[in-house]
Amino acid sequence: MLRTIDLRGRVLSPAEVLAAVPRADAARDEALATAARIVDDVAQRGEEALREQAATFDRVSDHAIAVPAAHLDEALAGLEPGIRAALDEAIRRVRTASAAQVPAPSVTELGPGARVTQRWQPVRRVGLYVPGGKAVYPSSVVMNVVPAQVAGVREVALASPPQAEFGGRVHPVILAAARLLGVTEVYAMGGAGAIGAFAHGVSSLGLDPVDVVTGPGNNFVASAKRAVAGRVGIDSEAGATEILIVADATADAALADAVRAALEPRVTSTRHSERVRAAFDGPQSAIVLVDDIAQATAFSNAYAPEHLELHLSDPRPEDYVNAGAVFVGPYTPVSLGDYLAGSNHVLPTGGQARYGAGLSAATFLRPQQVVEYDRAALSAVHEAIVTLAQAEALPAHGEAVTARFTD
């Protein structure tokens, strides 16, 4: 369980460090090809394709894909009080943290009568995906919906897989979380097909195409988002989850051999023991040995993990610039971020944290510039505009300004 990658005593280039990172690349490549076919099938055949996919992947048929309002009301009425209280607290914390992510408009005065206003406009309509295959994630309802609401999105549609256990309905706890947040447009559809339906729309279901698709999922969901990117905006390819732990001798359980010894009884006794063991045995998992903190930092920044835990005497989170989210110290576990930290748990995977960000209110906002010049202000830059237009062999650009000063 858990192979070892030993980088000690080696001076590695950035490319060599990147090559040493454990990844399940073959699975991702296969998922992309499959997801693209599923998305295209939904684009071409709509509801018929979604129903065939539900029968194949979810073992349900003849279910209501567009969830009736009564199902949402029933789910909320039946929600266990303890779960509702926990969801209420998660919503409060995520809403507070998300509100801090909305930039205020700013006005720049470049001269008398010359003004550029920077404003942030929400997209009109979003499709939010909540997984529901091997586990149930009402927390993902919170993480998707709250930032969209805080950003000012007017139309929020949510999708989650139909459950055979519940007669083809979306899991009731997910429905209850959606109802708790005031979401009324919910669809019982899962996987890559749901992403395709959001991107292309399904007229027979009354499902209009969205502007942005967000949410976590397996590699097929992540790959489907790549397949529709460009037609719609996406948050990131939040696929199979990742955690990198950087630890020194002060950590519990300290270093590599102690970690492996401590894992065995926990893996054996946990509820999903077989799944956990399969994950640790996979090509994406390893214990990495390094000489020092500098080498650990370089490896972490090359890996760019979804979640990064720092168990170090001097953690210096400012040095770990590539991570979806950074968790500092022994009392800040990833599971805190999954539920009640106030941070968002929909984060980039597969190394995308090197250039991409996690889900936030900013995901649903577009920076937009409003330019206002009066006659005098335009006159002040008239000559420079004409000069640059001629330099670029685009004289009509200059003529568009000159015409405004010609009787």
Side-chain angles (χ1 to χ4, degrees):
M1 183 174 68
L2 275 176
R3 64 194 172 109
T4 298
I5 299 173
D6 193 345
L7 302 182
R8 294 173 297 178
R10 301 166 62 185
V11 178
L12 302 177
S13 69
E16 289 170 328
V17 175
L18 195 59
V21 167
R23 302 256 191 236
D25 291 329
R28 287 173 57 85
D29 291 344
E30 180 183 348
L32 180 59
T34 301
R37 289 196 298 270
I38 291 172
V39 167
D40 184 64
D41 192 25
V42 172
Q44 299 300 320
R45 298 194 299 128
E47 182 179 349
E48 182 182 3
L50 289 172
R51 291 197 176 281
E52 288 179 7
Q53 291 162 20
T56 301
F57 301 122
D58 305 306
R59 306 183 315 282
V60 302
S61 58
D62 300 324
H63 62 298
I65 298 179
V67 175
H71 291 188
L72 292 158
D73 294 337
E74 289 170 17
L76 183 58
L79 185 63
E80 181 184 322
I83 297 175
R84 178 163 185 165
L87 285 171
D88 282 336
E89 181 62 13
I91 290 166
R92 185 188 70 79
R93 289 172 178 253
V94 174
R95 196 177 298 282
T96 300
S98 297
Q101 298 162 350
V102 180
S106 62
V107 179
T108 304
E109 300 284 351
L110 295 152
R115 177 187 300 115
V116 176
T117 300
Q118 179 73 60
R119 68 183 185 185
W120 298 80
Q121 293 288 98
V123 298
R124 181 186 63 86
R125 177 171 169 78
V126 299
L128 312 179
Y129 185 74
V130 176
K134 294 180 179 178
V136 181
Y137 300 98
S139 58
S140 288
V141 178
V142 177
M143 299 296 174
N144 275 277
V145 173
V146 171
Q149 291 177 334
V150 167
V153 175
R154 293 184 179 181
E155 296 183 18
V156 173
L158 188 144
S160 191
Q163 304 289 312
E165 180 183 356
F166 296 99
R169 294 190 184 191
V170 170
H171 195 285
V173 180
I174 290 175
L175 290 180
R179 180 66 180 81
L180 198 60
L181 285 161
V183 177
T184 58
E185 186 181 353
V186 180
Y187 298 92
M189 56 188 188
I195 305 303
F198 277 148
H200 294 276
V202 182
S203 59
S204 65
L205 298 173
L207 171 55
D208 293 327
V210 302
D211 302 313
V212 170
V213 174
T214 74
N218 58 23
N219 282 336
F220 295 98
V221 171
S223 297
K225 288 161 82 175
R226 179 180 295 188
V228 301
R231 172 175 284 272
V232 295
I234 64 170
D235 51 343
S236 64
E237 294 174 31
T241 194
E242 306 163 343
I243 303 175
L244 175 65
I245 299 172
V246 179
D248 62 15
T250 66
D252 181 11
L255 301 180
D257 290 339
V259 169
R260 187 177 275 108
L263 276 176
E264 182 58 41
R266 291 189 176 275
V267 170
T268 300
S269 63
T270 194
R271 176 179 178 182
H272 300 297
S273 178
E274 290 185 8
R275 267 193 254 164
V276 173
R277 194 174 296 278
F280 280 146
D281 287 341
Q284 75 280 358
S285 299
I287 291 175
V288 181
L289 305 179
V290 295
D291 288 316
D292 50 31
I293 291 298
Q295 194 176 33
T297 306
F299 179 86
S300 176
N301 286 333
Y303 182 36
E306 176 189 19
H307 308 93
L308 171 63
E309 287 193 14
L310 300 179
H311 294 256
L312 302 166
S313 58
D314 180 20
R316 298 183 62 82
E318 63 272 17
D319 293 340
Y320 295 84
V321 294
N322 295 342
V326 182
F327 299 81
V328 182
Y331 299 103
T332 317
V334 163
S335 52
L336 172 66
D338 283 344
Y339 300 114
L340 284 165
S343 58
N344 203 293
H345 78 200
V346 183
L347 301 167
T349 61
Q352 293 179 88
R354 288 187 295 121
Y355 52 83
L359 183 62
S360 71
T363 305
F364 305 103
L365 295 168
R366 297 156 294 156
Q368 190 177 69
Q369 296 176 343
V370 180
V371 183
E372 299 173 89
Y373 272 53
D374 63 19
R375 181 181 177 85
L378 181 61
S379 179
V381 294
H382 177 189
E383 184 177 344
I385 292 172
V386 170
T387 298
L388 288 173
Q390 290 174 341
E392 293 186 351
L394 297 169
H397 285 49
E399 292 164 9
V401 177
T402 299
R404 284 162 168 77
F405 299 98
T406 303
D407 293 334

